[in-house]
């Protein structure tokens, strides 16, 4: 019996030695079972006691393990899901910034257009009451067309302005000029305003200013919406096989040794994220160009590119166009009668009867502060771009942002290096993770990465086109000594605003709207 006891003692010691962890402890699988069952209720894949783990593919260890092959497979699925969730978390602030501002600017632009429409109707009611009823639908249509244009419709600004004056001229010709009769072709009158120059230089002036300002607004909104698409696409990066195995080693292989949630060595986490997100480095230069281009466009949205300034001046330009037609009664009557084939009628001096009472003026917009406060469109744009620049290195710092969410080891404490708890990384036997440049040379970018880059290239080209076009126009204006948007003056307009056409010369009173006329966005 004593011999048997000695033999049993030696066998027990041998078994304990086999199942000891590096720290001298036998792994306990009870907590591991509890955690795994919370992920997969009712599963029977967790061993009740440590096993050898010879069939494991990734979480191999020299000592005993609490993992089976089935557990390892399930943990790998969980690791991929965790990665997607972590990407959504680290990009949530950026996504929220762009989404909220896209909605704010869309609402602000709608507010400006509604104010412009109401102001135009108020001007017609005050200056040309006889035109108001017939012109309401035309006024509503052009502002609706502008709203649809900045949302991306295929309509042309020149076409919508031409259609507006085409509908307005028959009404103005009969009510202001006193020409035409019931036999006059409506279709002929709609086309006659161009050849007769009925509204002077103002239609082309409106086309020029609206084209520049609405295009800048349209591209600005498109850039914001595409930014949302880019971030959403980033959230759907799918870990490949090598990445999934690396994430498994980072997050779940410690479970196999009875270690739940140990702090990962910083270098190990960074190496894993680099292997998973190496393609993100290729996105970074395009992302930075996107932010820089958007900032340049936002900074240049003033004067000819400031939608608010142009739209708030639109009622004045329409009024001057109608006055131009009224002041040229005799000439217009003769010209149009020749075009549309009816004898000219003698223009009456009192075609437009004065109103019996002075209608109330349109309510003025609230006074805005003298500078671009955060309540104005310019202030909102500046604040947004400032906040967006804080994400200029979003893609190059994506891996670091993910690792910063991992529990950090306390001072002089051990950390998980992919194989064991240690005080250094890399641990012995760990493979070196290839650099991003090596990965780039070895394989093409992931399809999702290529999709992100293509989206950014498209909008960057559009941003650059709008910015370059505006620079060329400003250079042309300076060369001709024309500056129709002197922010210090409320008047002063020369031919530079009409693409160097002489027909715009001599128009005055059409500078930028006074600062006191600017809208406070969402005030009250």
């Amino acid at each position: 019996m004593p011999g048997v006891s000695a033999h049993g003692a030696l066998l027990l010691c041998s078994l304990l030695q086999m199942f000891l962890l590096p720290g001298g402890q036998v792994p306990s699988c009870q907590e591991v079972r509890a955690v795994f069952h919370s992920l997969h209720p009712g599963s029977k894949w967790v061993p009740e006691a440590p096993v050898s783990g010879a069939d494991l593919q990734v979480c191999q260890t020299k000592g005993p393990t609490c993992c089976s092959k089935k557990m390892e497979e399930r943990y790998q699925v969980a690791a991929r899901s965790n990665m997607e969730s972590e990407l959504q978390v680290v990009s949530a602030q950026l996504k929220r910034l762009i989404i909220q501002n896209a909605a704010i600017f869309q609402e602000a632009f709608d507010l400006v257009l509604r104010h412009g429409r109401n102001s135009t109707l108020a001007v017609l009611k005050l200056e040309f009451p006889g035109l108001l009823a017939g012109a309401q639908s035309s006024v509503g249509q052009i502002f609706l067309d502008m709203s649809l244009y900045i949302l991306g419709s295929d309509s042309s600004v020149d076409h919508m302005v031409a259609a507006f004056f085409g509908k307005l001229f028959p009404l103005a010709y009969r009510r202001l000029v006193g020409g035409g009769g019931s036999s006059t072709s409506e279709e002929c009158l709609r086309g006659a305003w161009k050849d007769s120059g009925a509204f002077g230089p103002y239609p082309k002036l409106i086309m020029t200013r609206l084209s520049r300002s609405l295009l800048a607004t349209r591209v600005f909104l498109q850039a914001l919406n595409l930014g949302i698409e880019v971030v959403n696409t980033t959230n759907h990066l799918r870990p490949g096989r090598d990445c999934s195995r690396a994430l498994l080693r980072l997050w779940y292989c410690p479970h196999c040794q009875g270690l739940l949630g140990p702090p990962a060595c910083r270098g190990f986490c960074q190496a894993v994220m680099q292997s998973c997100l190496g393609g993100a480095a290729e996105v970074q230069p395009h992302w930075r160009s996107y932010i820089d281009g958007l900032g340049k466009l936002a900074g240049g949205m003033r004067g000819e590119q400031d939608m608010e300034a142009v739209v708030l001046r639109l009622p004045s330009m329409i009024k001057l166009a109608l006055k131009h037609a009224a002041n040229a009664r005799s000439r217009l009557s003769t010209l149009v009668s020749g075009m549309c084939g009816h004898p000219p009628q003698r223009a009456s001096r009192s075609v437009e009867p004065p109103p019996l009472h002075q209608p109330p003026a349109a309510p003025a917009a609230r006074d805005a502060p003298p500078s671009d406060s955060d309540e104005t469109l310019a202030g909102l744009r500046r604040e947004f771009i400032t906040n967006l620049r804080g994400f200029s290195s979003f893609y190059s710092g994506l891996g670091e942002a993910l690792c910063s969410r991992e529990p950090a080891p306390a001072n002089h404490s051990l950390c998980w290096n992919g194989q064991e708890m240690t005080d250094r990384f890399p641990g012995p036997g760990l493979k070196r993770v290839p650099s991003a440049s090596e990965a780039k040379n070895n394989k093409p970018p992931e399809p999702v990465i290529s999709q992100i880059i293509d989206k950014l290239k498209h909008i960057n080209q559009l941003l650059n086109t709008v910015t370059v076009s505006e620079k060329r126009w400003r250079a042309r204006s300076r060369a001709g000594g024309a500056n129709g948007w002197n922010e210090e003056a409320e008047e002063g307009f020369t031919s530079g605003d009409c693409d160097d056409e002489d027909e715009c010369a001599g128009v005055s009173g059409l500078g930028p709207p006074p600062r006191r006329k600017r809208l406070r966005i969402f005030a009250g």
Side-chain angles (χ1 to χ4, degrees):
M1 293 297 293
V4 175
S5 299
H7 182 270
L10 288 174
L11 179 61
L12 178 62
C13 289
S14 176
L15 289 172
L16 288 174
Q17 182 67 30
M18 182 178 68
F19 287 105
L20 285 178
L21 287 178
Q25 297 176 340
V26 177
S28 171
C29 298
Q30 296 305 313
E31 292 183 358
V32 176
R33 285 173 61 87
V35 171
F36 190 82
H37 283 159
S38 68
L39 297 174
H40 303 282
S43 61
K44 299 179 180 180
W45 301 320
V46 185
E48 295 184 1
V51 294
S52 65
D55 59 345
L56 296 183
Q57 299 284 322
V58 179
C59 299
Q60 299 169 343
T61 177
K62 297 176 181 178
T65 179
C66 292
C67 289
S68 64
K69 185 177 181 181
K70 282 286 187 181
M71 287 177 64
E72 191 180 54
E73 292 172 357
R74 295 293 177 177
Y75 273 145
Q76 194 161 336
V77 173
R80 288 196 293 266
S81 178
N82 281 359
M83 183 64 168
E84 294 172 17
S85 299
E86 290 294 304
L87 283 171
Q88 291 177 13
V89 170
V90 298
S91 64
Q93 187 179 0
L94 171 61
K95 183 177 178 180
R96 184 167 55 251
L97 173 68
I98 302 178
I99 287 177
Q100 288 180 347
N101 278 275
I104 287 172
F105 283 113
Q106 179 61 62
E107 188 175 351
F109 296 145
D110 287 343
L111 175 63
V112 171
L113 290 175
R114 287 197 303 271
H115 185 84
R117 179 197 62 199
N118 294 339
S119 297
T120 301
L121 293 174
V123 166
L124 290 178
K125 182 178 181 180
L126 180 66
E127 301 285 345
F128 312 99
L131 299 181
L132 180 62
Q136 276 185 325
S137 63
S138 300
V139 171
Q141 186 63 49
I142 189 173
F143 281 95
L144 175 61
D145 289 341
M146 285 190 275
S147 177
L148 295 176
Y149 177 80
I150 64 175
L151 291 177
S153 74
D154 294 332
S155 59
S156 159
V157 174
D158 287 1
H159 175 76
M160 69 178 71
V161 174
F164 169 72
F165 281 104
K167 294 176 183 178
L168 189 62
F169 182 65
L171 187 65
Y173 185 67
R174 292 190 173 103
R175 300 288 179 87
L176 294 182
V177 178
S182 58
S183 60
T184 306
S185 167
E186 186 82 6
E187 183 177 354
C188 179
L189 286 177
R190 287 190 175 188
W193 71 270
K194 285 186 179 180
D195 295 334
S196 64
F199 297 115
Y202 301 101
K204 187 167 185 179
L205 169 61
I206 292 173
M207 290 177 185
T208 302
R209 291 190 169 181
L210 283 180
S211 293
R212 291 192 174 108
S213 62
L214 292 183
L215 177 60
T217 302
R218 173 186 172 121
V219 172
F220 185 77
L221 282 180
Q222 284 180 344
L224 295 189
N225 290 324
L226 188 131
I228 297 172
E229 287 185 28
V230 166
V231 178
N232 282 336
T233 306
T234 304
N235 289 343
H236 292 88
L237 284 171
R238 295 290 186 266
R241 179 177 178 272
D242 292 340
C243 174
S244 297
R245 292 166 68 93
L247 293 173
L248 171 62
R249 188 180 295 278
L250 172 67
W251 285 328
Y252 291 108
C253 283
H255 291 202
C256 299
Q257 298 186 25
L259 304 171
L260 300 178
C265 296
R266 192 72 169 179
F268 175 52
C269 179
Q270 291 172 342
V272 169
M273 295 307 167
Q274 179 178 298
S275 68
C276 289
L277 300 171
E282 301 177 46
V283 179
Q284 178 57 38
H286 304 285
W287 174 254
R288 184 176 290 276
S289 296
Y290 165 73
I291 293 180
D292 290 343
L294 193 57
K296 290 177 182 178
L297 175 61
M301 291 173 73
R302 58 182 184 272
E304 284 284 315
Q305 286 192 309
D306 184 358
M307 171 193 171
E308 183 185 17
V310 172
V311 170
L312 293 183
R313 274 300 188 195
L314 197 53
S316 297
M317 288 188 278
I318 293 174
K319 179 182 73 174
L320 290 175
L322 289 170
K323 285 189 173 181
H324 187 279
N327 291 335
R329 289 186 183 94
S330 299
R331 182 182 66 85
L332 280 180
S333 182
T334 302
L335 286 174
V336 173
S337 63
M339 295 177 187
C340 298
H342 62 79
Q345 297 183 7
R346 184 175 180 180
S348 172
R349 294 187 178 183
S350 58
V351 171
E352 180 66 34
L356 298 178
H357 64 281
Q358 186 77 353
R366 295 189 176 189
D367 288 345
S371 61
D372 290 335
S373 77
D374 291 341
E375 292 179 357
T376 65
L377 270 173
L380 288 174
R381 285 193 296 265
R382 185 178 60 252
E383 181 183 13
F384 166 64
I385 295 299
T386 299
N387 292 332
L388 188 61
R389 289 191 190 281
F391 295 91
S392 293
S393 302
F394 175 73
Y395 281 95
S396 60
L398 197 52
E400 182 66 27
L402 290 168
C403 286
S404 67
R405 294 180 49 77
E406 295 294 312
N411 292 334
H412 308 295
S413 66
L414 302 180
C415 60
W416 174 254
N417 71 355
Q419 282 189 336
E420 60 187 1
M421 297 299 292
T422 181
D423 58 353
R424 61 195 179 94
F425 174 80
L430 288 181
K431 294 181 179 180
R432 185 180 70 88
V433 177
S435 66
S437 60
E438 290 173 334
K440 180 178 178 180
N441 293 330
N442 292 336
K443 61 180 180 179
E446 297 291 336
V448 174
I449 294 294
S450 297
Q451 185 180 1
I452 293 172
I453 292 175
D454 289 343
K455 288 177 183 291
L456 288 172
K457 282 183 176 179
H458 170 72
I459 196 63
N460 288 343
Q461 184 178 12
L462 198 55
L463 287 168
N464 184 63
T465 299
V466 175
T467 305
V468 169
S469 297
E470 182 63 15
K471 284 181 179 178
R472 288 174 179 170
W473 175 82
R474 290 183 184 279
R476 221 170 36 236
S477 297
R478 285 194 298 270
N483 184 3
W485 288 98
N486 180 358
E487 290 289 347
E488 301 299 324
E490 295 183 11
E491 296 187 359
F493 168 78
T494 58
S495 59
D497 284 295
C498 262
D499 294 332
D500 302 323
E501 293 288 343
D502 292 337
E503 62 178 290
C504 290
V507 182
S508 62
L510 293 178
R515 291 187 185 276
R516 67 176 181 275
K517 295 286 188 182
R518 298 297 175 94
L519 299 181
R520 272 192 181 181
I521 307 300
F522 312 129

